[in-house]
Amino acid sequence: MPKKLDDTLFSDATRAVVGEVDRVSAAVQSAAWIRAGALLLEAPAVFTIGTGRSGLALQMAAMRFMHLGLATHVVGETTAPAIGARDVLVAASGSGSTKRVVRAAETAREQGAEVVALTTAPESALARAATEVLVVPAADKQDFDGNASVQYGGSLFEQSVLLVTDALFHALWQTSGTQARELWRLHANLE
Ligand SMILES: O=C([C@H](O)CO)[C@H](O)[C@H](O)COP(=O)(O)O
């Protein structure tokens, strides 16, 4: 059983998470991040794919891409259409080996689409299938010895996916010159 929580545990845990995310997101190569942003702006449509928490982090990114006015689809949603030439698939997999994600990346390439991969594993099947790789130097979800992160599973990777893509959205929004009030027109109004 875990011991009773207290102020020190709260402070230590929070610092551990924030410190790791700060270190890892700052280590992502800016050149790859910049090229990924350019691909998104040129794409007729943007698709996202990831499973588990990696997919959930990208669903948050997908919403923001939609707010920017990009035609955005989450793979697996019933309304997601076919991917085509010059579209961009943004794929997140910490391990870079999750079959559904790798298969989607390979299919996207066969259709002439670009694939932006976020992964901890630059030599992985996902990275090989991608046209642009954002290496997120976080822990693999099976790093049970805590070598690359003190957090459980792929938490550090999944948090970093959200940060890196939120930073991408922020930069694209700032450079678009669009006011927050204008973006709000695309915010869901059926919620
Ligand atoms: O949800 C996940 C798990 O809890 C790890 O923290 C992962 O995101 C899921 O298992 C997918 O794995 P990857 O494709 O290796 O990111």
Side-chain angles (χ1 to χ4, degrees), residues 1-6 9:
M1 281 291 287
K3 66 177 182 178
K4 199 161 162 278
L5 300 183
D6 59 22
L9 283 169

Side-chain angles (χ1 to χ4, degrees), residues 51-55 92-98 101 141 152-155 157-158:
T51 70
R53 286 168 49 105
S54 304
S93 171
S95 61
S97 60
T98 301
V101 181
K141 63 187 172 187
Y152 173 70
S155 295
F157 172 74
E158 295 135 19

Side-chain angles (χ1 to χ4, degrees), residues 24-94:
V24 163
S25 43
V28 171
Q29 292 282 306
S30 58
W33 180 88
I34 291 165
R35 288 193 295 269
L39 285 173
L40 291 181
L41 290 181
E42 287 161 13
V46 176
F47 293 72
T48 67
I49 187 164
T51 70
R53 286 168 49 105
S54 304
L56 291 171
L58 272 192
Q59 284 188 43
M60 296 176 78
M63 180 195 276
R64 286 292 183 249
F65 297 155
M66 176 275 287
H67 287 154
L68 273 178
L70 305 178
T72 308
H73 307 283
V74 175
V75 175
E77 290 291 311
T78 49
T79 52
I83 196 164
R86 297 184 303 108
D87 288 342
V88 172
L89 175 68
V90 183
S93 171

Side-chain angles (χ1 to χ4, degrees), residues 49 89 98-110 126:
I49 187 164
L89 175 68
T98 301
K99 288 189 176 59
R100 181 166 173 261
V101 181
V102 174
R103 269 199 303 268
E106 290 168 348
T107 303
R109 290 296 301 282
E110 283 160 18
L126 176 61

